Amino acid sequence: MKHYQRWILAGMMIVLPCLARATDRVLIPAGEFKMPAVLSKKSIPVKAFYLDRDPVTNKEFLEFIKLNPEWAKSKTKRIFADKNYLNHWSHDFSYEDSRYDKMPVVQVSWYAARSYCFWKGGRLPTIAEWEYVALFPFPGGPPLQSLILEWYGKSSEWPLPAVMSGPANSAGIYDLHGLIWEWVEDFNSSLVTGESRADSALDKNLFCGAGSAGAADPSDYAAFMRYAFRSSLKAAYTVQNLGFRCAQDKEPL
Amino acid sequence: MSSLKTFTIGTLAVLSLAAQGAWASENIKGEEVAVLTDAPAVPPPIQRKHATKVIVNLETKEIKMRLADGVDYTFWTFGGKVPGKFIRIREGDHVEFHLHNHPSSKLPHNIDLHAVTGQGGGAEGSFTAPGHSSTFSFKALNPGLYVYHCATAPVGMHIANGMYGLILVEPKEGLPKVDREFYVMQSEFYTKGKYGSPGLQPFSMAKAVEEKADYVVFNGSVGALAGDNAMKAKTGETVRLFVGNGGPNLVSSFHVIGEIFDKVYVEGGKLINENVQTTLIPAGGSAIVDFKIQTTGTYILVDHSIFRAFNKGALGMLKVEGDADKDVYSGKTKDGIYLPEGGVIQEISTKEPKLIPAKTLEDRIAAGKRIYESSCFACHQTNGQGLPGAFPPLAKSDYLNNNKEKAISAVVNGLEGEIKVNGKDYNSVMPAQLLSDEEAANVLTYVYSVWGNSKKSVSPQEVKAARKK
């Protein structure tokens, strides 16, 4: 275990003594990158932060619900999660299918995902953070784009494969591509250009004839699909192929 | 001068008022749920003499289906098939449209109907996440046959994967009555492997951007309108085809071999052209064609950009039974305007393609079947029955079964001039097929193994020996 991880864990024990062991969080170094498929060629700076190694599983989410029963299926208000919230779980506090243990949790709303991350002493990653880490390549693996497009080219599977079934990228992060979509903190400001734009101006990027007008590189379809997907969401929505993982600020030392 | 001006302006004003009032004057009476059909079926003509509220429910779904024999593709669909469901409404109708995105979908979808006047043709009002539904409504202002398609970014990819269909807005007075109506939609697919490469084929963006289609098909897959799936009609009937072109890129030169379109509703609109051989259908456009069938035969639908028909799958059939009219067509001459070729590229290659030799007779037959279905069926037909007067049969063929060397030679060296097969004369050309010894042995062994033929097997060595030195 690296020294900073030990520090973080120790810190969390003090702050949140009720917690079970947090998922492994990996330190992502600071850097800057050009967001794929957006008009602005400006580099976006990203501060160093921690990111979960893999998506949150059903088993981990069940722990959260047992300790936070207000997020159980039957207790959650519709404005915080639509009626399909956790619809693959048989009960409020169990899902009776051991295959789900290692499967990423899906059918969770943005509110539920966010609450989980706060409870775990973290937050959802931002679009910029998520896209930044998503650009890290797979050492000796397939090119990112072909990997992503291959996933779009397959019909949905159920149950989903277990987390960490595939290789990690060079940042040590698993499952960013090819398993599920993931919630981000600012999902509804997709297609940002570097300047902050009003949401009302976003829709012009989504419809016929403008679908690629906003793209720096129209051939970057793979990234485009993520923006289109995020744009179709509302915070209370739950989707069969949509889960999440948490991030955490790196405390200034 | 001034009186003329006044007169003109007055007339224009009256005309424009009339045009504006045309649809506004009709009241909506009652409501109904639209009957939607999968191609090649078309919903029944509208009998109503008034506008109504029509409720349309359409589901978007991503599913793996057959693109060609041995080839699968993950299609994105409107209603589970490609093309999407046919929608039939009447001019002046008020349409309440519900788009449902199946929970298993990986992607959001929406719909842009070219029949809609308004933002994005409905795209803006129907953008739907997986597992959700959207509702919007529109008024059918203009009659015509319109394409609809998904318009979610990246638009090209959603269309390339199969998200298109047709919506017919019948004019108030309806369309002239015909005996049979069919729904045909051309589109093309861009796959990682070349035409016929087996397995689940992923979408190739590079090819789509370069507009190099591997498959050009009618109704979503190779053979969707051929053989047992052919459309059927009887002599004396008038047939109407609602033809669309989903693209995403290519323009169709739509033609029916052996028929002349008596009427073409040009581009699916009001203009009627008569006696047309080939009509142009733009990507994202349509045409309605009517023709009366005077005699029997198998009429072949093609995109007359002809390599698409015989090498990429753009071939459909209309089989007509009934009484043959020998006066219209004698049945003894052949239509020799052009000679269709097999699906193999006809050129001299300097390097031998690498092939894994077939290990067993079963392997050979299976490999041969794939070659037959991509290279031979266009002329010799799906069950080897041939086309009378033009292409000799392979099923129970005496020419084939009596002499293996002649059969091999016909494949690898080509065949020209008069021959007799099962007592009938043929005088046609078969081009030499560019097949390796292994491939030729496979396809011949397959042909011998089916349709009541003599079960002979052909080896690559025999093919090698039969080649002209």
Side-chain angles (χ1 to χ4, degrees), chain B residues 437-450:
Chain B
D437 296 348
E438 182 73 28
E439 288 169 321
N442 292 347
V443 74
L444 281 154
T445 305
Y446 165 70
V447 169
Y448 275 122
S449 74
V450 286

Side-chain angles (χ1 to χ4, degrees), chain B residues 318-368:
Chain B
L318 171 65
K319 290 186 176 171
V320 177
E321 292 179 344
D323 302 324
D325 185 337
K326 297 290 184 193
D327 202 25
V328 171
Y329 181 68
S330 66
K332 282 185 183 170
T333 51
K334 74 180 175 70
D335 178 356
I337 297 168
Y338 66 88
L339 290 163
E341 298 164 354
V344 175
I345 295 166
Q346 319 278 336
E347 62 177 33
I348 304 303
S349 160
T350 49
K351 59 175 195 285
E352 282 290 300
K354 281 199 182 64
L355 269 183
I356 305 145
K359 287 189 179 61
T360 64
L361 183 65
E362 284 72 31
D363 288 349
R364 205 176 275 301
I365 288 170

Side-chain angles (χ1 to χ4, degrees), chain A residues 208-225:
Chain A
C208 193
S212 61
D217 175 5
S219 71
D220 198 350
Y221 274 38
F224 233 125
M225 324 258 286

